[in-house]
Amino acid sequence: MKKIINYAFMVLMLGSGAASAAVPGFINFQGRLLDSNKLPRNGSFAMTFKICDSLAGACAPACAVGNPCLWTEDQNITVSNGVFAAKLGAVTPIGSDVFSAAARYLDITVAGETLTPREQLVAGPFSFKAAVADGLANNDGSALLRISSVALAGFYSDNSVRSRLGLGIGVNVQAYDADLTTYGGISPSANIQSLLGSADYAAARTNLGLGIGVNVQAYDADLTTYGGITPSANIQSLLGSADYAAARTNLGLGIGVNVQAYDADL
C-alpha cells in the first residue's frame, strides 16, 4: 500500500510588487510517497488531487463550487527517494469560492488508489479568500461593508462607530446645519477680519469707530433712571403727536384761548 506522509501546505505569498497584485491561485504541496513496507518510492506517478467539503463523504465528479467535490486536477508527479512536490492549481485554477466555508479537505489518488483519510486544509490555503479584497473598490457606500457574500454590520455601522468614538451628533459634534454651511462659504472682508482680531474691547470699539462719549452716549446714571420710567398713556400720546399743533391740542393749550397769543405791544 502506498502512503503519503509528512506533507505540508503553503500558499505562495505576494512578492514585493504593487499591493494591488492579484492573490496567486496556487497551493504548494510537499510530501513523501512510501510503499507498503514504508520504503520510499521513485519514478513518475499519476496523481489526482481534489478539494472536498467533508472528511469522508462523497467527493466524486462533477467537481465544482457548490458540489461535494469543489475542485480537482490531475498531474504526473516525479518522486525521488520518496519526496515530491506539486503546485496545486497549476492545471485547474483554484478560485476563492472554494474556501467560502471553514471545513475543506484534500483528497489524493495515486496511480488509481485513493488514500485515506482525507486531510483538512487549515489556515494557509484559506488565504485565497483574501482575493475578495480586490472587490472592495465597488462597495456600495452603505452602512454595510460587503465582503464577498458576507455583510459585516453592527460594529461597522455609522452609529456604532460614532458611539465607540464618543461622538454624539448634536452632543459632542455639531449637527448638520444648512445655515452653517452657508456661513462657512462667506469670506470675511479685511475690516471684519481686523475686528475679529481685536486685542480687546477698546480695540474693537476703535475698529468700529465707536468712541464712548463721542460717537455713542457715555454711561449716565440719570439716563438709567429715566429709562426705568414707564410713560403714562397721555405722555405716550404727546410723544406720538404728528406735529406741534397736535401736541398743543394734546396738552389743551389753545393759542389765544388757554395761552396768550403773540402781541407786539406785549
Side-chain angles (χ1 to χ4, degrees):
M1 178 181 293
K2 295 176 284 294
K3 290 185 179 179
I4 294 178
I5 63 172
N6 299 333
Y7 45 81
F9 304 96
M10 178 180 68
V11 173
L12 295 179
M13 302 305 292
L14 288 172
S16 59
S20 60
V23 175
F26 308 112
I27 301 173
N28 272 357
F29 177 84
Q30 297 176 331
R32 295 186 66 205
L33 182 62
L34 309 179
D35 62 17
S36 57
N37 295 317
K38 297 186 179 180
L39 297 176
R41 302 298 304 269
N42 290 279
S44 180
F45 294 84
M47 296 189 186
T48 298
F49 301 94
K50 297 177 185 177
I51 296 177
C52 310
D53 66 359
S54 64
L55 176 61
C59 191
C63 294
V65 174
N67 294 342
C69 178
L70 300 157
W71 168 90
T72 186
E73 73 176 11
D74 298 321
Q75 294 191 34
N76 288 318
I77 302 297
T78 298
V79 180
S80 178
N81 196 30
V83 178
F84 72 90
K87 182 185 288 186
L88 307 186
V91 177
T92 303
I94 303 174
S96 62
D97 287 348
V98 170
F99 299 100
S100 60
R104 294 292 182 258
Y105 302 86
L106 184 65
D107 181 282
I108 305 170
T109 299
V110 179
E113 181 179 357
T114 299
L115 306 182
T116 56
R118 297 171 188 155
E119 291 298 327
Q120 184 172 9
L121 297 176
V122 289
F126 278 82
S127 298
F128 276 71
K129 201 60 182 170
V132 300
D134 293 340
L136 289 182
N138 297 322
N139 181 35
D140 62 10
S142 69
L144 297 177
L145 175 62
R146 302 192 181 282
I147 301 179
S148 186
S149 60
V150 180
L152 301 181
F155 181 83
Y156 293 99
S157 69
D158 294 340
N159 289 337
S160 177
V161 172
R162 287 195 299 268
S163 176
R164 292 171 187 272
L165 291 174
L167 300 177
I169 295 177
V171 179
N172 310 102
V173 293
Q174 175 66 45
Y176 172 75
D177 189 313
D179 291 334
L180 292 177
T181 301
T182 300
Y183 301 151
I186 297 174
S187 297
S189 65
N191 286 346
I192 294 300
Q193 292 183 50
S194 295
L195 176 62
L196 295 176
S198 300
D200 52 31
Y201 297 137
R205 290 194 300 268
T206 299
N207 284 328
L208 289 170
L210 300 176
I212 295 176
V214 179
N215 309 102
V216 293
Q217 176 65 48
Y219 173 76
D220 189 314
D222 291 335
L223 292 177
T224 301
T225 301
Y226 300 152
I229 299 174
T230 301
S232 65
N234 287 344
I235 295 301
Q236 291 183 49
S237 296
L238 177 61
L239 295 174
S241 301
D243 51 30
Y244 298 138
R248 290 195 299 271
T249 299
N250 283 329
L251 289 170
L253 298 176
I255 295 176
V257 178
N258 308 101
V259 293
Q260 175 65 47
Y262 173 75
D263 187 317
D265 292 334
L266 291 175

